[in-house]
Amino acid sequence: MPDTPSVTDEQVAPAVDDLDTIVSLSKRRGFIYPSSEIYGGINAVWDYGPLGVELKNNVKRAWWRAMVQERDDIVGLDAGILMAPQVWVTSGHVAEFSDPLVECATCHRRYRLDELPGAEDVSPADAADAAIIERLGLTCPNDGGPLSAPRRFNLMLKTFLGPVEDEAAIVYLRPETAQGIYVNFRNVQQSSRKKVPFGIAQIGKAFRNEISPGNFVFRMREFEQMEMQFFVRPDGATAAFEDWLPRRRAWYETLGVAPARLRTREHQPGELAHYAKKAVDVEYRFPFGWKELEGVHNRGDFDLGNHARASGENLEYFDPSTEEHYIPWIVETSAGADRAAFTFLIDAYREEEVRGEKRVVLGLHPDLAPYKVAVLPLLKKRSEIVEICRRLRADLARDVMAVYDDTAAIGKLYRRQDEIGTPWCVTVDVDSLDDGAATIRDRDSMTQERVPIEGVKRAILDRMAAARG
Ligand code: ATP
């Protein structure tokens, strides 16, 4: 796939100009709240409300479906958040997983150097240069005060394991899920009897003590990753990389993200992480610029090679067809579940004018929508109508997330469901009592179709299958 860094911010408009639109919708409708809000919150930790947890679970389910369920060459794993501390020494995280931190001498605010205006493009070598602040003429964006020389700040969060809080008891909260996969490579390969090439996929929490978190849930200190490590023969890594990159970009498009708001960007040699031979980011045009959504990395034999040396265990793979022993190379796809959910939320948002009124719609893909269907009585005073609706909702709920609502007039009920992305509303009216039919209303086209009540579930499931293609 061609790299497209020539696409600039100016040429592609974000789906939403002002991030506050999404932040306030999220709070008002129950997608995302600040953590511990009644105590003033805790920086860069967010909680998912009733709709947010559905959306994020759907994102993870869609990823698992594409990466595990539909593949016969990838299996799943759920490793612990806490790992033997040596893992993080071997992986290079203790020595290398740090960002350049600078501090203002007057207001004492701290910044990540490469997020300061004028320093966005500094290379790792520049970031290690004590004179870089002076050279670039950087000052504190808050009060213009003088900034310190950059120092490396390790992003791993620590805690203690066991009753004694001493150095020997220190363990890390994993900053990525990938290491759980590497240290289980032999277990998984032997128990699943998979032959190289094959992959191991995992979804789980990761923690990073980010220096400058922000932009809502874009950069959090506690978040979830969806990572897949694909183990290949060393000479197959390049082809595997070229296969995975377009696949991963297409995943976002299949789930509704506008192709124009996606691009790929290759890391320059000076920018490559310590483990990477090649790295390309899938980027999205957020309201605050083009930013990484997911990274695809050729990690060579860095991980299994280092873990084999440090643990003294043999992590080679024996290929029975060629009788070769080798350390597999790894191609990794590393995505964030929160960042993906955030992206789908932003990209789905639209405002339209319908009969002179503003209509807010979350055009979420039906697989991602928190509720697939809302069941709405046209007359809540008629107990027979309410009764039919309640039964219909209960029946639908055996297969999909379905909600009943009778707390407003029908126009308002539709608007509420549009705003949270419910693809279909089913209404039961007085005629239903005679003809045994209900109306299915489509979120996007707003067209309505009359369907026998006993056929409603089939119609919804058919529409969901059609949306999946
Ligand atoms: P950056 O350079 O922006 O700090 P990174 O390159 O270190 O990010 P990776 O280590 O490649 O990020 O992480 C893989 C994926 O995990 C990212 O593409 C992103 O989707 C997600 N991710 C990483 N850090 C965070 C975070 N602090 N909050 C939310 N998601 C994150």
Side-chain angles (χ1 to χ4, degrees):
M1 171 176 304
D3 205 31
T4 50
S6 57
V7 181
T8 63
D9 287 11
E10 288 70 43
Q11 287 166 309
V12 178
V16 175
D17 290 329
D18 186 357
L19 191 57
D20 284 344
T21 309
I22 299 297
V23 176
S24 76
L25 173 80
S26 296
K27 175 85 193 292
R28 189 162 36 82
R29 300 308 314 271
F31 282 94
I32 301 169
Y33 317 118
S35 162
S36 322
E37 198 180 10
I38 61 167
Y39 289 101
I42 169 171
N43 198 357
V45 185
W46 298 89
D47 296 344
Y48 287 81
L51 299 183
V53 66
E54 297 299 335
L55 171 64
K56 193 168 144 186
N57 280 344
N58 290 339
V59 169
K60 292 189 280 184
R61 219 171 270 136
W63 186 87
W64 197 262
R65 182 188 168 90
M67 301 299 280
V68 180
Q69 187 182 330
E70 292 179 353
R71 307 272 315 196
D72 65 0
D73 56 354
I74 303 181
V75 290
L77 180 76
D78 184 11
I81 287 172
L82 304 177
M83 303 183 72
Q86 180 60 40
V87 168
W88 305 107
V89 177
T90 307
S91 68
H93 282 80
V94 170
E96 308 263 0
F97 193 59
S98 54
D99 280 335
L101 177 144
V102 297
E103 186 174 339
C104 173
T106 49
C107 73
H108 300 289
R109 289 205 183 183
R110 298 187 172 122
Y111 303 95
R112 194 169 133 176
L113 175 67
D114 57 347
E115 286 180 352
L116 284 174
E120 293 91 347
D121 297 326
V122 292
S123 66
D126 278 343
D129 175 3
I132 185 76
I133 300 291
E134 207 179 334
R135 190 146 55 79
L136 296 181
L138 301 173
T139 53
C140 175
N142 180 45
D143 67 354
L147 294 170
S148 67
R151 69 179 168 87
R152 301 303 305 180
F153 175 77
N154 195 292
L155 302 183
M156 281 198 292
L157 283 145
K158 294 177 195 168
T159 188
F160 299 98
L161 205 62
V164 186
E165 295 191 1
D166 64 10
E167 274 291 311
I170 286 180
V171 290
Y172 300 98
L173 302 188
R174 66 180 176 198
E176 62 173 32
T177 59
Q179 298 301 323
I181 295 181
Y182 307 141
V183 300
N184 275 298
F185 166 73
R186 200 172 58 188
N187 280 337
V188 174
Q189 194 274 319
Q190 290 179 354
S191 56
S192 67
R193 298 191 307 281
K194 288 285 172 203
K195 294 196 169 63
V196 168
F198 78 99
I200 304 177
Q202 172 165 230
I203 298 176
K205 288 267 177 164
F207 301 82
R208 295 183 186 180
N209 201 5
E210 299 280 3
I211 298 170
S212 39
N215 287 325
F216 198 32
V217 293
F218 178 80
R219 195 177 294 288
M220 306 155 87
R221 290 193 170 124
E222 173 179 344
F223 57 100
E224 255 180 302
Q225 289 189 313
M226 309 186 288
E227 296 196 298
M228 193 281 297
Q229 314 293 321
F230 205 67
F231 300 88
V232 295
R233 276 174 65 101
D235 59 6
T238 302
F241 187 96
E242 298 308 325
D243 178 52
W244 276 109
L245 180 59
R247 246 178 227 291
R248 290 306 309 150
R249 177 183 174 148
W251 183 76
Y252 295 95
E253 293 178 11
T254 310
L255 288 168
V257 175
R261 286 192 283 268
L262 291 168
R263 73 178 188 187
T264 50
R265 188 185 70 82
E266 179 159 3
H267 287 211
Q268 298 310 304
E271 187 191 355
L272 281 174
H274 59 278
Y275 54 76
K277 293 202 175 309
K278 178 170 179 168
V280 177
D281 291 342
V282 178
E283 294 189 333
Y284 176 70
R285 174 60 164 104
F286 287 95
F288 41 90
W290 287 99
K291 299 280 177 196
E292 174 180 340
L293 196 48
E294 167 158 359
V296 179
H297 310 130
N298 177 350
R299 304 180 62 116
D301 65 356
F302 180 88
D303 307 286
L304 292 184
N306 280 349
H307 282 305
R309 276 187 291 279
S311 66
E313 297 284 331
N314 181 3
L315 299 182
E316 284 184 338
Y317 171 75
F318 173 66
D319 185 336
S321 59
T322 59
E323 305 209 321
E324 284 171 289
H325 290 267
Y326 59 85
I327 294 274
W329 279 31
I330 292 172
V331 172
E332 160 186 73
T333 69
S334 177
D338 309 87
R339 209 173 275 184
F342 183 37
T343 300
F344 291 125
L345 200 57
I346 296 172
D347 211 72
Y349 184 92
R350 60 174 198 264
E351 292 176 5
E352 306 172 341
E353 206 178 290
V354 178
R355 287 186 288 280
E357 273 187 40
K358 182 170 112 173
R359 176 170 99 116
V360 172
V361 186
L362 273 189
L364 288 169
H365 188 286
D367 273 354
L368 301 180
Y371 295 123
K372 313 306 175 196
V373 53
V375 185
L376 314 170
L378 222 56
L379 271 182
K380 71 168 173 179
K381 291 201 185 81
R382 293 287 297 266
S383 60
E384 318 93 284
I385 293 182
V386 170
E387 168 69 16
I388 294 173
C389 286
R390 295 266 185 211
R391 257 191 286 125
L392 189 53
R393 193 216 70 92
D395 183 42
L396 284 161
R398 295 153 73 99
D399 292 281
V400 294
M401 282 299 292
V403 64
Y404 169 87
D405 192 4
D406 67 5
T407 57
I410 189 67
K412 193 158 184 193
L413 294 181
Y414 281 152
R415 296 290 172 268
R416 274 188 201 157
Q417 296 302 325
D418 290 344
E419 198 188 34
I420 62 171
T422 309
W424 301 288
C425 289
V426 178
T427 51
V428 176
D429 53 28
V430 189
D431 291 344
S432 308
L433 300 175
D434 293 329
D435 65 4
T439 302
I440 302 181
R441 180 249 195 200
D442 185 272
R443 175 194 69 200
D444 297 324
S445 64
M446 290 190 287
T447 52
Q448 307 199 349
E449 196 189 333
R450 201 78 183 156
V451 175
I453 290 172
E454 63 275 14
V456 166
K457 180 148 92 177
R458 187 69 266 152
I460 297 293
L461 293 177
D462 286 350
R463 287 173 189 217
M464 288 197 61
R468 205 174 266 166

